[in-house]
Amino acid sequence: MNLKKKSRRVYKLYALEITTTEGCNFNCSYCFEKGTKPKVFDDKNYDLLIKRIHELLNNDWFQAEYEGLKIIFWGGEPTMNMSLCERIIQEFQDDERVCFFIYTNGSTMDRFIDIVKIANDKPFIDEESSKFVVQVSYDGNPINDNCRLPRDKDCISSTIVRNAIELLKESNVEFGLKATLPWDKFQWLPLVWDDFYSLYKEFGERIAYSATVDYYDVGFHKYEDIVKQSILNIARKEILFYRQNKKFLSNIFSGNKAICATGKSMATIDTQGNISYCHGCLYSENDFVYTSIFKDDFIDSIKESHDFFIKYEVEPDECKSCPSGLCLRCNVRKHDASEKEEFQDKWFDYTSQQELCEYYKLVGKIGTATRLILREEK
Amino acid sequence: MNVQYYNSALALVNAVPHVRQIDPQFADLLLDKSQEYKDKIKIDLELEKEVFEFKKEIEKGL
């Protein structure tokens, strides 16, 4: 392999998540936002929010440190507050340093797509990347239609998603699917994989099965045997897929132990204008708010957060020799599960969820076995 | 040496999401190279045995 074959510049972007609303038109069985009274970003604060984003973009420290800004829309279902999404997109779409990303269930895509299309055609400094990326939540069936339930009982969520990705594909907008894999549904994993394979055949390269297990309420011990059998089943499917496509369909056997950008090059603004390190902070039992859009010196606090996390970011020795390949590490969850004393030790305590580590290790070993089989075939 | 291999593999893996946006094929090459480094990390015999058992089990159903 020649690593010099191609090289391209990776632009350094700051990610700013905006929680447009906590409301959602779905009632997913595993949602951890259940039971809370949803708040919406107050429209009387729209102007202030936009002013603060301009200030960030024009700030000397920001410009020295970052080349652009990725504005991320978070919810609830962020498009339930379409007016704020639209206002922000229209305000910043002509700034070539700004790109957009949205998490969505796809239910409003018929109305949202025109806004996305206009923004997507605008210039972006990284000409080889998309100005607008849409991530649609889809778990694959049978999990999806059993767990992701629209409040409008006449709708089926997989149909909603299919319509959304057809619109996105027709409009040439970059999109991805993101799945939740509940512990008590692991027996359906092989069927889910088949569903994604059908979508792959229909929609092409943009389809991949990118699954996240519930890392808040870990149920690996309870379902260990089913989990193991399902992962082994998937391994066989992936081998057959790899023989044809020279890649895996799912991220399950991928090597991704990236350190999260939370707090360092990322911040989240909640519906009340409070700023914390990432959207994970919104669901913690701890308070991670460190400033707000109402404070004129909010950029100083963002800079302090950036410097703090750069100073203390560490990779524990235990992770360096770990057999896992994929390991999605949520620092907020690690912090909350940690028994250490200091904030920074808790935040980077990647081994504080041992049951989750056991799951990722199991998958890593099966992934290594899978790659051994493929290597022997070469 | 394990740590150097690990850090190199991790650096390549961290670059993959950025590269994949504009050059998916090259991203796959980076992942392969990353895997090569990971494979050089010496694993303990117990782990090797477990992986081998899984390999046999997968092959049975293929």
Side-chain angles (χ1 to χ4, degrees):
Chain A
M1 187 183 83
N2 181 9
L3 274 173
K4 289 182 182 167
K5 193 175 83 174
K6 283 183 184 178
S7 65
R8 82 173 279 273
R9 187 170 165 215
V10 175
Y11 286 81
K12 197 174 173 193
L13 305 179
Y14 190 85
L16 185 65
E17 297 179 309
I18 298 166
T19 314
T20 63
T21 176
E22 295 168 9
C24 184
N25 54 348
F26 276 36
N27 186 26
C28 302
S29 59
Y30 46 69
C31 183
F32 46 71
E33 292 189 62
K34 270 183 170 176
T36 54
K37 193 173 172 213
K39 300 186 193 87
V40 181
F41 200 98
D42 195 334
D43 57 7
K44 72 173 189 288
N45 293 326
Y46 284 11
D47 288 342
L48 178 62
L49 173 63
I50 282 165
K51 178 171 170 265
R52 294 309 192 202
I53 299 172
H54 277 298
E55 285 173 9
L56 186 63
L57 279 163
N58 296 327
N59 178 269
D60 289 342
W61 165 78
F62 183 85
Q63 289 184 356
E65 197 67 40
Y66 295 99
E67 293 164 284
L69 181 69
K70 182 190 279 190
I71 296 178
I72 300 171
F73 297 102
W74 177 255
E77 164 54 39
T79 61
M80 295 291 287
N81 186 351
M82 188 81 80
S83 66
L84 180 55
C85 296
E86 187 171 10
R87 179 83 196 276
I88 290 170
I89 292 165
Q90 286 176 350
E91 182 73 28
F92 294 101
Q93 64 189 2
D94 289 314
D95 189 327
E96 64 173 11
R97 295 171 298 165
V98 176
C99 65
F100 304 97
F101 182 98
I102 188 164
Y103 299 90
T104 179
N105 58 30
S107 58
T108 59
M109 199 51 69
D110 54 341
R111 284 180 286 138
F112 192 53
I113 192 70
D114 289 335
I115 300 169
V116 174
K117 275 197 298 192
I118 292 168
N120 200 39
D121 288 338
K122 301 284 184 180
F124 177 42
I125 40 165
D126 188 345
E127 290 174 352
E128 295 178 72
S129 290
S130 297
K131 179 87 173 177
F132 212 123
V133 177
V134 177
Q135 180 179 297
V136 184
S137 301
Y138 180 63
D139 299 341
N141 268 330
I143 295 179
N144 194 82
D145 288 340
N146 274 278
C147 296
R148 298 186 57 77
L149 308 173
R151 291 185 197 276
D152 178 350
K153 300 279 190 289
D154 293 334
C155 298
I156 299 168
S157 62
S158 57
T159 309
I160 289 170
V161 169
R162 169 168 285 276
N163 292 340
I165 62 178
E166 276 173 2
L167 272 174
L168 289 162
K169 191 183 178 193
E170 276 168 27
S171 309
N172 203 25
V173 174
E174 188 179 332
F175 69 90
L177 299 178
K178 187 65 191 280
T180 299
L181 179 54
W183 294 102
D184 64 348
K185 302 287 185 290
F186 253 87
Q187 74 275 19
W188 286 339
L189 179 59
L191 295 171
V192 165
W193 193 97
D194 291 344
D195 184 29
F196 272 84
Y197 181 50
S198 300
L199 288 173
Y200 177 84
K201 284 192 285 188
E202 189 177 345
F203 290 97
E205 294 290 323
R206 280 175 173 151
I207 302 296
Y209 178 46
S210 180
T212 305
V213 293
D214 183 348
Y215 51 82
Y216 266 74
D217 193 9
V218 182
F220 176 60
H221 288 161
K222 190 174 176 187
Y223 298 99
E224 189 167 351
D225 287 341
I226 295 169
V227 169
K228 191 164 94 176
Q229 288 312 315
S230 291
I231 300 287
L232 285 167
N233 192 326
I234 291 296
R236 294 180 195 109
K237 290 175 185 288
E238 290 287 14
I239 287 169
L240 299 176
F241 185 86
Y242 193 95
R243 284 174 184 161
Q244 283 193 326
N245 301 284
K246 299 295 167 219
K247 64 173 186 176
F248 293 133
L249 177 66
S250 77
N251 71 338
I252 289 176
F253 300 132
S254 69
N256 183 2
K257 284 200 263 196
I259 290 173
C260 186
T262 174
K264 184 176 62 181
S265 49
M266 170 182 246
T268 289
I269 302 175
D270 70 15
T271 53
Q272 308 306 295
N274 297 313
I275 299 178
S276 50
Y277 308 121
C278 61
H279 64 247
C281 297
L282 306 178
Y283 314 106
S284 171
E285 62 222 37
N286 293 288
D287 183 5
F288 293 113
V289 171
Y290 63 87
T291 186
S292 82
I293 61 169
F294 304 102
K295 294 186 176 169
D296 289 333
D297 64 352
F298 80 105
I299 297 177
D300 292 340
S301 302
I302 285 179
K303 180 182 176 305
E304 276 173 31
S305 170
H306 166 272
D307 294 345
F308 179 87
F309 285 106
I310 282 187
K311 183 178 174 187
Y312 287 107
E313 187 176 85
V314 287
E315 181 84 354
D317 288 340
E318 196 175 329
C319 293
K320 290 177 184 169
S321 56
C322 175
S324 71
L326 173 74
C327 177
L328 301 177
R329 301 180 288 192
C330 170
N331 294 88
V332 176
R333 192 66 198 110
K334 299 304 175 198
H335 171 281
D336 291 355
S338 177
E339 290 177 358
K340 294 187 175 174
E341 296 290 324
E342 299 293 328
F343 171 80
Q344 63 270 22
D345 296 334
K346 291 160 84 73
W347 192 259
F348 295 109
D349 189 1
Y350 291 129
T351 58
S352 67
Q353 291 179 286
Q354 275 302 313
E355 192 177 346
L356 193 59
C357 289
E358 285 177 40
Y359 164 72
Y360 282 128
K361 283 176 187 174
L362 170 76
V363 176
K365 289 170 202 168
I366 296 176
T368 304
T370 305
R371 280 188 292 271
L372 271 176
I373 294 169
L374 289 167
R375 200 174 309 150
E376 284 174 5
E377 291 176 0
K378 276 184 186 172
Chain B
M1 207 47 200
N2 272 2
V3 172
Q4 281 95 327
Y5 279 129
Y6 177 84
N7 286 339
S8 302
L10 189 65
L12 293 183
V13 161
N14 284 341
V16 166
H18 303 286
V19 178
R20 190 170 297 285
Q21 287 181 15
I22 46 95
D23 193 347
Q25 279 184 322
F26 193 57
D28 289 340
L29 288 176
L30 286 179
L31 272 182
D32 284 347
K33 192 69 189 170
S34 160
Q35 195 54 50
E36 267 182 45
Y37 289 148
K38 279 196 214 166
D39 290 341
K40 286 181 179 169
I41 297 170
K42 286 189 180 128
I43 54 175
D44 61 63
L45 290 174
E46 193 57 37
L47 182 63
E48 211 162 0
K49 199 174 141 199
E50 271 186 274
V51 169
F52 187 67
E53 288 300 318
F54 282 134
K55 181 172 173 283
K56 275 201 299 189
E57 208 163 332
I58 295 166
E59 282 171 327
K60 261 195 300 188
L62 265 177

